[in-house]
Amino acid sequence: MKMEVKLHVHTQERGAELGDLFGIFFEDLNHAVDGGLYAELVQNRSFEFDPIDRAEYHALTAWEKIEKGGGKAEITVEVSHPLNPRNLHYVAIDIVSEGDGVGIMNLGFNSGIPAKQGETYLFSVYARRDASFDEPVVVTIEGTDGAVHGEATIVVQSSEWTKYESAITANATDTCSRLVIATKGKGKLYLDMVSLFPERTFRNRPNGLREDIAVMIADLKPKFMRFPGGCLVHDGSLNPDDRNSMYRWKNTLGDIAQRPARRNSWNYNQTLGLGYYEYFLFCEDIGAKPIPILPGGVDPHHNRMVPIEELAPWTQDALDLIEFAIGDPSTEWGAIRAELGHPEPFGLEYIGIGNEEVREPFFERYPFFHRAIKEKYPDIKIINSAGPFAAGGEYERGWKSARENKSDLVDEHYYQSPEWFLAHYHRYDDFKADDPKVFLGEYASIGNTYYNALAEAAFMTGLEKNAHAVSLACYAPMLCNVDYVNWKPDLIWYNNHEVFGTANYYVQKLFMHHQGDQLLKIEATESEKKQEPTMKPINGALALGTDLCSIRFWDIQLVNNDTGETKDLNGASAELSDTKEDRLNGTAIRTLELGETNWENYTLSLKAKKISGHKGFNIYFGKCDDKNQLIWEVGGWANADSNLCSGVNGRTSCLTQQTFSLQPGIEHEFTLEVSGRQIRAWINNVLFHNTEDKLPVIEPLYYSASYERSTGDVIVKVINVQENSVSAQIALADLHKTSLTVEVYEMSGHAPDDENTFASPERVSPKQKEFSTEDCSFHYDFPKHSITVFRVK
């Protein structure tokens, strides 16, 4: 039997402005830039790869020696006569015997250089040689079988560094090609900044972006783009000249040959070829407002921090970035922007300080940035940080700082299960309009299936309906190269020649294309009540676990809070030992089952002491299996946190967090109280956690409505997450029209675990249709598991 619902859209009762609500997050992880959006096809073009970036890297990573027809050469990397002080390494090809030519070959990214028949590729290199100045240098794009797909010739006629350029047109399509540079003669040939770009980039910009990926991003029509992250913003040394420095925006400007190589905090090399100038251009090209995020002088990953009395250069960096974006060409940084080719201001409304910041040092320093920016640029909206958790101590610390400093926005981040998103659909209902606004700067439901996209769509209607409190939101991460995965899920996947959007991508696209400008009041009346979940208590198996630590436990006791019954578990004591030595000897004990309970209200208590190791331990409770359980993480994330987490179908949500570090040799007492779905936890008789593991209350329909000024359209979004279809009457009050044309964009008919792939890139994507009605009311059957957008003309 179908459920009957009536949706009443009050077209003249307008609410909060939706503004810049839905945008995109851009961080260089998963090779999002090099080997991704940045169109450079040569990997390690300047021979600057180093073990500091990744343990197995070296200066000749992705390069191989070429010796043809009896030729012999020695290939070395030198630093004695560099191209410039920021690009020290270069390759020397010592011609021992010329044969049919000797040189080097670049392997590109993924399977190789993706040559496409008829396309032109722009080759450039800095070169010099010490002999045979008339001997040509032959540059070819070749298949792995040696077939030549395109060729160019340059002549290096100087012993000083000179830039040479040529164009190569491919005569075949081969996604596994190599770039080969070979010469004959005598002496040494020196090369640096070896580059190969497709002539056709996005908007045909030089040093440009890979067209297919850029088009997928542009097609979203995002309101804003957050850049450059993400953890890479603040993970690094405090010295901007260090290879492993934090992301310092001034290092990313100017001639790409002058930009220093950088250790990417996601364990690879970052050329900085796509820097802040290219970022601002891309924002301009796709109509997205830039939201730059700058480090706040604190690296929480390595506990580095700038002394407060030395913060001035850091706050000045923020002021200089704003001047670079919007300053008149008569200003210092406005002049630099003009010299780069853009005399007009880019426009800048927002700036963020810090990323996922935790602990007091950042929040001691944030006010210095805030005051400096507001004093000079009072209209710039400043974004503070609420850490990487959806609730708990660091989250509250961030919000406290934002209120005290009158931050314009607070950056919230969370990656949770689809069930968590459905259970927290009303998360922002009670947020105040006069508080700092929410910037949901990173979120995703841990998966790229249709079910993930469906849950996110339902949650996003809640974001829209709470636009009084939520100003900005962006899914994260955005980009992932399938052969260089650091993080899942992601919005857009690609290899070296193909790209596809996930189900999540198409949900984001629907919401961005049909955001509207102002909320409309929308109400529902249902013939049936919400699907209230059966109140399942948190019971089941109990267990202990650790990772690379040795922990001793004693006084392990379970108490029934209803009857007073007491049980000693595992003989009241236990020891886990999972050290490296244990693993080598095959004696590691990582987990210990403590038994099961069917009690609904109980207290688990134990004492523990860490013997050795850098982390902590876990208490598992309410455990059905390894994919469905609750976890108290003691010493989570680098032994810095105490977290209560809920795992559903292998996807784990952090419910709440507090700062805690488990130190060796110190005895602690841990107490866990469970009452229904309510959980409280104490360490040494101090209450650390008080939370509820909410189960989803499935709404008959999730919905929102908005008005778009440019078209006059009324937009209604309706999401049905139920297993059955829902029949509804949609009434548009006070529309004053005798007939309506309704465009419908719908995702439906997909299994929950359906995903898009390279082979089926649009398996899960919207379908469009249109109908007309002679009344300001119409009937619609919302299929099960459907996402529907009406655009009423």
Side-chain angles (χ1 to χ4, degrees):
M1 178 178 175
K2 291 182 181 178
M3 180 182 290
E4 292 287 340
V5 176
K6 290 184 178 179
L7 289 177
H8 304 271
V9 182
H10 301 272
T11 64
Q12 302 305 313
E13 293 190 42
R14 297 177 185 172
E17 293 285 334
L18 289 162
D20 302 321
L21 183 55
F22 295 122
I24 53 177
F25 166 92
F26 186 20
E27 179 175 12
D28 187 3
L29 76 162
N30 306 315
H31 277 262
V33 176
D34 300 303
L37 181 61
Y38 187 48
E40 174 65 79
L41 298 175
V42 175
Q43 184 174 189
N44 189 18
R45 65 185 177 189
S46 58
F47 308 98
E48 295 294 335
F49 276 34
D50 187 274
I52 198 172
D53 308 324
R54 190 179 183 91
E56 62 265 32
Y57 277 0
H58 52 82
L60 287 172
T61 292
W63 291 96
E64 292 182 0
K65 180 166 64 174
I66 291 294
E67 296 173 322
K68 298 182 179 182
K72 292 199 175 298
E74 296 294 332
I75 307 296
T76 56
V77 174
E78 299 182 2
V79 297
S80 59
H81 187 47
L83 180 61
N84 61 65
R86 286 181 144 191
N87 187 353
L88 294 176
H89 296 85
Y90 56 93
V91 73
I93 303 167
D94 188 357
I95 305 167
V96 178
S97 175
E98 66 173 14
D100 291 335
V102 296
I104 55 174
M105 172 175 72
N106 189 263
L107 306 180
F109 296 93
N110 300 89
S111 60
I113 305 285
K116 186 175 181 180
Q117 186 173 4
E119 293 289 323
T120 298
Y121 299 87
L122 304 179
F123 171 80
S124 65
V125 66
Y126 284 85
R128 60 185 177 88
R129 66 190 309 167
D130 57 16
S132 301
F133 295 105
D134 295 328
E135 195 68 48
V137 176
V138 180
V139 183
T140 53
I141 298 174
E142 298 184 7
T144 54
D145 59 357
V148 176
H149 302 323
E151 180 176 321
T153 299
I154 61 173
V155 179
V156 178
Q157 295 182 314
S158 175
S159 59
E160 297 299 323
W161 288 113
T162 305
K163 186 176 183 180
Y164 298 89
E165 297 176 289
S166 189
I168 303 173
T169 300
N171 59 26
T173 295
D174 180 359
T175 60
C176 303
S177 301
R178 308 292 191 248
L179 178 69
V180 178
I181 305 170
T183 191
K184 295 180 181 180
K186 297 179 180 180
K188 289 184 178 182
L189 172 67
Y190 304 93
L191 305 175
D192 202 353
M193 285 299 294
V194 182
S195 176
L196 188 71
F197 268 83
E199 182 180 53
R200 196 170 80 180
T201 59
F202 184 66
R203 298 288 180 93
N204 293 317
R205 292 194 181 279
N207 191 47
L209 307 181
R210 181 173 146 180
E211 188 176 43
D212 56 349
I213 299 176
V215 166
M216 283 217 76
I217 296 171
D219 283 350
L220 286 168
K221 297 185 179 178
K223 295 286 189 179
F224 66 85
M225 187 194 306
R226 172 192 172 117
F227 176 90
C231 288
L232 68 77
V233 168
H234 62 191
D235 179 1
S237 82
L238 305 177
N239 183 351
D241 296 324
D242 285 349
R243 174 62 171 264
N244 65 335
S245 73
M246 294 182 188
Y247 194 99
R248 308 302 291 273
W249 74 271
K250 291 174 181 175
N251 285 341
T252 75
L253 300 182
D255 181 1
I256 57 173
Q258 298 279 349
R259 300 181 193 182
R262 180 182 182 273
R263 175 196 70 94
N264 185 305
S265 58
W266 293 101
N267 203 26
Y268 57 91
N269 177 271
Q270 193 170 20
T271 65
L272 302 181
L274 195 169
Y276 258 90
Y277 181 68
E278 291 78 16
Y279 160 61
F280 280 122
L281 282 177
F282 188 38
C283 287
E284 187 174 78
D285 285 343
I286 67 175
K289 294 180 181 180
I291 302 185
I293 309 295
L294 296 182
V298 176
D299 172 7
H301 299 266
H302 303 93
N303 203 30
R304 303 174 175 123
M305 59 200 73
V306 180
I308 288 178
E309 61 273 16
E310 297 175 17
L311 266 182
W314 294 73
T315 58
Q316 188 61 48
D317 263 4
L319 298 175
D320 291 345
L321 176 59
I322 297 170
E323 184 175 278
F324 177 74
I326 64 175
D328 185 270
S330 63
T331 64
E332 178 185 359
W333 288 97
I336 291 172
R337 183 194 67 240
E339 289 168 11
L340 293 173
H342 202 284
E344 304 83 9
F346 281 114
L348 186 68
E349 296 181 22
Y350 305 93
I351 192 168
I353 304 299
N355 170 75
E356 289 187 358
E357 300 299 338
V358 293
R359 298 185 288 279
E360 196 58 28
F362 169 82
F363 296 101
E364 291 173 342
R365 287 156 179 75
Y366 171 85
F368 292 88
F369 290 87
H370 188 99
R371 287 194 296 267
I373 295 168
K374 284 296 184 183
E375 183 177 328
K376 189 168 183 180
Y377 299 103
D379 293 333
I380 294 288
K381 295 175 183 176
I382 306 175
I383 304 167
N384 205 328
S385 172
F389 308 101
E394 294 304 327
Y395 176 84
E396 294 298 338
R397 192 200 304 268
W399 268 98
K400 180 175 181 289
S401 170
R403 291 186 179 107
E404 289 175 349
N405 291 285
K406 294 181 170 55
S407 302
D408 297 286
L409 299 103
V410 186
D411 187 12
E412 295 191 1
H413 293 184
Y414 39 80
Y415 297 90
Q416 313 280 53
S417 69
E419 293 75 15
W420 184 95
F421 279 92
L422 293 172
H424 291 80
Y425 168 67
H426 294 286
R427 173 179 174 89
Y428 297 109
D429 285 4
D430 296 326
F431 277 48
K432 298 177 181 178
D434 57 358
D435 252 354
K437 305 303 183 188
V438 173
F439 173 22
L440 183 48
E442 295 185 31
Y443 75 97
S445 69
I446 315 179
N448 284 139
T449 69
Y450 180 60
Y451 176 56
N452 292 103
L454 188 68
E456 289 161 4
F459 188 78
M460 290 170 75
T461 64
L463 297 180
E464 285 191 334
K465 290 163 79 171
N466 286 295
H468 70 281
V470 182
S471 284
L472 307 167
C474 51
Y475 182 101
M478 181 169 65
L479 298 177
C480 186
N481 186 316
V482 69
D483 291 327
Y484 307 95
V485 181
N486 299 115
W487 184 284
K488 295 179 181 180
D490 303 283
L491 205 63
I492 298 169
W493 289 77
Y494 50 87
N495 53 32
N496 65 350
H497 63 289
E498 299 170 295
V499 61
F500 71 87
T502 58
N504 321 68
Y505 169 89
Y506 287 104
V507 165
Q508 294 291 325
K509 186 175 180 180
L510 278 178
F511 275 72
M512 290 181 201
H513 281 223
H514 308 288
Q515 175 185 295
D517 297 303
Q518 196 171 10
L519 278 180
L520 295 177
K521 183 179 179 181
I522 182 170
E523 297 175 301
T525 56
E526 302 98 16
S527 61
E528 298 180 26
K529 294 182 179 180
K530 299 176 184 178
Q531 291 184 12
E532 297 284 350
T534 303
M535 186 47 68
K536 182 184 181 301
I538 299 173
N539 52 25
L542 302 164
L544 298 171
T546 192
D547 179 26
L548 288 172
C549 286
S550 178
I551 313 280
R552 187 167 70 85
F553 304 92
W554 67 99
D555 291 351
I556 309 172
Q557 192 175 77
L558 186 68
V559 177
N560 186 320
N561 295 335
D562 293 323
T563 67
E565 181 182 350
T566 300
K567 293 181 180 179
D568 288 339
L569 302 181
N570 199 62
S573 65
E575 187 162 337
L576 298 178
S577 190
D578 182 43
T579 64
K580 290 182 179 179
E581 185 176 295
D582 290 325
R583 292 188 180 185
L584 287 172
N585 295 335
T587 58
I589 302 174
R590 299 186 66 178
T591 59
L592 177 67
E593 300 293 331
L594 296 175
E596 295 192 15
T597 183
N598 60 3
W599 298 342
E600 296 186 7
N601 303 303
Y602 56 89
T603 299
L604 174 66
S605 60
L606 57 84
K607 295 185 175 74
K609 180 169 71 173
K610 181 163 73 172
I611 309 303
S612 64
H614 297 293
K615 301 182 182 180
F617 66 90
N618 292 341
I619 299 174
Y620 301 95
F621 59 106
K623 181 175 181 178
C624 299
D625 52 47
D626 288 343
K627 292 186 176 182
N628 295 275
Q629 59 190 343
L630 284 105
I631 311 162
W632 183 3
E633 296 179 344
V634 178
W637 191 78
N639 194 22
D641 301 313
S642 170
N643 302 322
L644 283 179
C645 303
S646 175
V648 180
N649 298 326
R651 303 177 176 108
T652 300
S653 306
C654 180
L655 303 178
T656 187
Q657 170 274 349
Q658 293 287 346
T659 298
F660 178 77
S661 178
L662 188 68
Q663 298 302 317
I666 300 174
E667 296 182 6
H668 294 284
E669 182 176 352
F670 299 90
T671 306
L672 177 71
E673 179 188 273
V674 176
S675 179
R677 305 297 302 181
Q678 199 72 30
I679 310 164
R680 295 198 294 172
W682 290 261
I683 300 177
N684 300 328
N685 297 313
V686 175
L687 181 65
F688 264 59
H689 303 293
N690 185 357
T691 192
E692 179 185 2
D693 182 29
K694 292 182 179 180
L695 296 176
V697 178
I698 301 302
E699 308 276 340
L701 292 172
Y702 298 80
Y703 49 83
S704 62
S706 61
Y707 171 74
E708 186 175 79
R709 291 191 183 92
S710 62
T711 60
D713 291 353
V714 171
I715 300 167
V716 182
K717 302 183 185 74
V718 182
I719 288 80
N720 178 14
V721 305
Q722 299 188 68
E723 290 285 346
N724 52 275
S725 64
V726 175
S727 181
Q729 189 73 23
I730 294 90
L732 301 157
D734 302 318
L735 198 56
H736 307 306
K737 290 188 177 181
T738 56
S739 63
L740 301 176
T741 299
V742 183
E743 295 176 353
V744 184
Y745 305 83
E746 188 166 88
M747 297 172 69
S748 63
H750 306 293
D753 59 353
D754 278 355
E755 294 188 59
N756 291 340
T757 63
F758 289 114
S760 301
E762 296 182 349
R763 173 187 292 154
V764 182
S765 60
K767 303 295 188 291
Q768 184 178 353
K769 58 186 177 182
E770 184 178 293
F771 66 86
S772 298
T773 177
E774 296 303 315
D775 194 3
C776 288
S777 177
F778 58 90
H779 181 271
Y780 198 86
D781 286 332
F782 295 99
K784 71 174 187 178
H785 300 157
S786 61
I787 301 163
T788 307
V789 178
F790 299 116
R791 185 174 273 272
V792 182
K793 312 300 285 186

